[in-house]
Amino acid sequence: MISNYDGPATDPDATGLPTVSLVDVASYLPGAPVGTEYFTQYSRSDRMAKNVMFRSPKARHHVAEDETAVDMVERAVAPLIERHGAQAIADIDVLITHTQLPDNPVMGCGPEVARRLGMRPRFVYDVHNGGCAAFVHMMAMARMILQTTDARTALIAASQNCAGPVFTQTEIRKLAQAPVPGDACGVGLLVKDDSAPILDIECRTYPEFAGDMEFSTNGERKYWQPGEGQGCVSFTESKITKVFARGNRLVPEVALAVCERIGVKGRDIDTFVTNQPNRLFLRNWHDALELPPERHPDTFDQCGNLFAAGIPVTLDTENRAGRLRNGSVVLLSAFAHAGDFAGAAAVRWGAAG
């Protein structure tokens, strides 16, 4: 197990840039768990139901009908306020948000989040790309801003809020993929110091895979046009095969790239936290790094596929349970959509909570 690594990535003099730390994480799960029986009562015979990509979790959470992405962020941030004080959050310099299903298609939720939390951040960004790897993507953006400006603190927030609104539609809830997603929000607090340093980050875009994931209304209608048809991400067996092959490769690939740069073997990582799409991906990913399952936390059966919120929710779950030892190396890795983006980050753990 790695406990005393102090390589160049932790040393601000090595790059000439200041060190940035992930000093805390928190999360929010909406409502009571929804059992799989909710979906089985509506399910229809579907060849894809037998596909390993759609083997459902035991439970998941769904946002309430009137619950917004801003509500979710506010509730996820509450533990940070308890631990660091309202003023620390009000003084945040950088706010970056990612929302799976924007409440307002014209604008992001950043300014409203700032208003709710009493913040006046100098930098506010709402990012829609990054998908399931958005937490790592936002870490990279926040670190870059903190390293290259006089900003000192950043809040990043990933809201997954499409399971309840989209996957319980009367026609969509019959599909094989309907029971897999869950809703949640995860947040991270970054500070320009060396208390819990980000050792390295790798973000890669794969334009050749862009467009392979489609949003369909099961007809000719565009999602904003009036008419019949219920919208969701559409899958075919051939696309699932491609996504599975890409995901198996991309997550270990970016994770091991980070390991190489910080001088750590994949098998020596203390904790490996990934997005949580399904059980087979999780098994294949820790096998690829030669890690035992107990060092690769799994929230899939309790929460389902949380997309971008999967990493921070799993981190928060492990942190609150006391399973993340201060000084240990925590490696984050995920891929997005049909494989058009992947990211990984290594952190010397020292978060609050």
Side-chain angles (χ1 to χ4, degrees), residues 68-70 99 101-109 126 128 161 223:
T68 69
V70 177
T99 306
L101 185 68
D103 298 303
N104 184 330
V106 177
M107 61 183 293
C109 70
D126 291 292
H128 199 61
N161 59 342
Y223 78 89

Side-chain angles (χ1 to χ4, degrees), residues 329-343:
V329 175
V330 177
L331 181 64
L332 319 177
S333 189
F335 84 105
H337 311 125
D340 58 57
F341 182 78

Side-chain angles (χ1 to χ4, degrees), residues 99-165:
T99 306
Q100 186 71 21
L101 185 68
D103 298 303
N104 184 330
V106 177
M107 61 183 293
C109 70
E112 176 63 11
V113 168
R115 187 187 71 81
R116 290 269 194 99
L117 298 176
M119 300 165 56
R120 285 193 172 273
R122 292 170 49 202
F123 304 89
V124 179
Y125 298 102
D126 291 292
V127 297
H128 199 61
N129 60 320
C132 296
F135 194 76
V136 174
H137 183 211
M138 292 188 289
M139 282 178 63
M141 291 180 64
R143 185 177 72 150
M144 179 178 65
I145 296 168
L146 296 184
Q147 287 180 326
T148 57
T149 72
D150 60 357
R152 298 200 57 81
T153 57
L155 178 70
I156 60 176
S159 299
Q160 153 48 16
N161 59 342
C162 72

Side-chain angles (χ1 to χ4, degrees), residues 29-286:
L29 295 170
V34 177
T36 302
E37 63 274 8
Y38 168 83
F39 294 96
T40 54
Q41 65 181 317
Y42 302 113
S43 62
R44 66 189 186 198
S45 179
D46 187 340
R47 281 183 60 189
M48 284 200 286
K50 299 177 182 178
N51 194 292
V52 293
M53 289 281 280
F54 299 138
R55 289 179 184 167
S56 64
K58 294 177 181 176
R60 75 287 295 141
H61 294 255
H62 287 164
V63 295
E65 188 174 349
D66 59 350
E67 191 168 26
T68 69
V70 177
D71 295 332
M72 297 177 75
V73 175
E74 186 177 25
R75 289 158 187 164
V77 170
L80 299 185
I81 293 175
E82 290 178 10
R83 293 195 283 267
H84 302 275
Q87 194 58 49
I89 301 303
D91 290 342
I92 289 289
D93 298 309
V94 182
L95 173 63
I96 308 177
T97 64
H98 167 91
T99 306
Q100 186 71 21
L101 185 68
D103 298 303
N104 184 330
V106 177
M107 61 183 293
C109 70
E112 176 63 11
V113 168
R115 187 187 71 81
R116 290 269 194 99
L117 298 176
M119 300 165 56
R120 285 193 172 273
R122 292 170 49 202
F123 304 89
V124 179
Y125 298 102
D126 291 292
V127 297
H128 199 61
N129 60 320
C132 296
F135 194 76
V136 174
H137 183 211
M138 292 188 289
M139 282 178 63
M141 291 180 64
R143 185 177 72 150
M144 179 178 65
I145 296 168
L146 296 184
Q147 287 180 326
T148 57
T149 72
D150 60 357
R152 298 200 57 81
T153 57
L155 178 70
I156 60 176
S159 299
Q160 153 48 16
N161 59 342
C162 72
V166 173
F167 288 91
T168 61
Q169 295 177 94
T170 55
E171 293 303 313
I172 306 304
R173 66 192 180 189
K174 302 174 183 178
L175 301 179
Q177 64 262 38
V180 179
D183 291 326
C185 180
V187 297
L189 178 62
L190 287 79
V191 174
K192 189 186 293 184
D193 69 17
D194 61 358
S195 59
I198 298 170
L199 306 177
D200 195 76
I201 300 181
E202 176 81 2
C203 289
R204 298 180 183 178
T205 298
Y206 301 86
E208 63 270 29
F209 304 142
D212 282 1
M213 181 165 283
E214 298 177 353
F215 187 87
S216 168
T217 59
N218 298 298
E220 296 299 318
R221 179 177 68 85
K222 303 293 186 184
Y223 78 89
W224 64 84
Q225 294 175 325
E228 297 181 356
Q230 298 177 0
C232 76
V233 173
S234 61
F235 291 96
T236 64
E237 289 189 67
S238 62
K239 283 187 179 180
I240 291 170
T241 301
K242 292 176 183 177
V243 171
F244 192 70
R246 292 168 190 167
N248 274 336
R249 174 175 60 85
L250 294 177
V251 168
E253 192 174 88
V254 290
L256 291 171
V258 167
C259 287
E260 182 176 0
R261 286 204 297 271
I262 67 171
V264 176
K265 298 289 186 184
R267 61 179 176 270
D268 292 327
I269 289 296
D270 294 301
T271 308
F272 185 40
V273 178
T274 62
N275 60 313
Q276 307 272 312
N278 58 59
R279 298 182 189 91
L280 190 55
F281 267 140
L282 293 172
R283 188 197 72 188
N284 291 348
W285 289 339
H286 62 242

